[in-house]
Amino acid sequence: MNKIEQGTHQGTSWSKEGSGPPLILVHGLGLNRQMWQWQMGCLTPHFSVIYYDLLGHGESVNPEIPCQLEQFSEQLLLLMKGQKLEQCILVGFSLGGLIVQDFALNHQEKVSALAILNTSHGRTETEREAVLARVLQAEQFGPSSTVKPALQRWFSAEFAARKPEILEKVQDWIMANDKEIYPEIYRLLAECDEPLTNAIRAISCPTLIMTGEDDHGNSPEMTKRMAALIPDSRVEILPGLRHMGLAENPQAVNSRLLSFLQEVVQ
């Protein structure tokens, strides 16, 4: 059984377990650091894994409004300083994938490898409008109004019927979000991929870009476009999985992630 360290540093609530090279996990919108529970058994034998709550999520403090991607990169930088890390591997999911891209562009010397999971890239105007419509819905009616459609986008119907307790867990995480802050961060998610679209050409570390075959908002096409721009990158498309493949089929996600990570740390 791994010993879990926990703490708070400058408003960021974090946990740490395992041993080996440092690896930081960055979760997605509306979730919290507990979303990585399906990855810990795979990663902690090989890495010292730090996972934390983003600003406005879980037990961390709220961000300043309006939200900027730089705030979340700064949060990550302060966390690294608090952990006395000069360099680490970053794994980001969805919004977390956008945060780690921004961080890698601004602090290249601090990132030894990058994994970008289920993350949007270069949305079309129609795609962006669809996300902004959900932002408006969240502003008017709170996080609860977005939950059921999100779960349908995130999990296959077969898995939802077989494992309703996991969907209930994820739903509880989303519902726990602050009604004022959640839409603000949702708006950031809707818009912050645009300035990164071509900038990611400058990412220089080994990079894994992975998504589910049926994750339509963070599609295989987006994943392939990112890989075409980032020089030292590779693509993994997971058959039959939607957005939350890392909970629906952890083995498929973990095997590919661990294979990449072990290769780049050698």
Side-chain angles (χ1 to χ4, degrees), residues 69-74 77 90 98-111 114 195-196 199-200 202-204:
L69 196 55
E70 292 79 6
Q71 290 172 266
F72 292 88
S73 283
E74 179 68 13
L77 182 62
L90 292 178
L98 294 163
I99 293 166
V100 300
Q101 289 174 55
D102 184 68
F103 189 89
L105 287 168
N106 289 291
H107 306 283
Q108 294 208 20
E109 74 289 352
K110 295 188 176 299
V111 185
L114 201 57
L196 291 170
I200 60 172
I203 292 175
S204 57

Side-chain angles (χ1 to χ4, degrees), residues 15-88:
S15 300
K16 179 180 179 181
E17 58 183 291
S19 59
L23 184 156
I24 299 180
L25 303 174
V26 189
H27 69 76
L29 172 77
L31 304 171
N32 59 60
R33 69 187 190 269
Q34 301 307 320
M35 69 153 276
W36 297 107
Q37 60 192 259
W38 297 280
Q39 281 61 61
M40 302 312 289
C42 159
L43 295 175
T44 54
H46 309 281
F47 299 94
S48 175
V49 182
I50 300 160
Y51 49 115
Y52 69 102
D53 291 334
L54 291 173
L55 298 171
H57 294 77
E59 299 170 341
S60 290
V61 298
N62 287 338
E64 292 181 15
I65 302 301
C67 293
Q68 304 291 335
L69 196 55
E70 292 79 6
Q71 290 172 266
F72 292 88
S73 283
E74 179 68 13
Q75 181 191 21
L76 181 50
L77 182 62
L78 290 173
L79 177 66
M80 285 187 67
K81 287 179 178 175
Q83 295 289 326
K84 297 181 170 52
L85 297 178
E86 291 298 322
Q87 193 178 63
C88 70

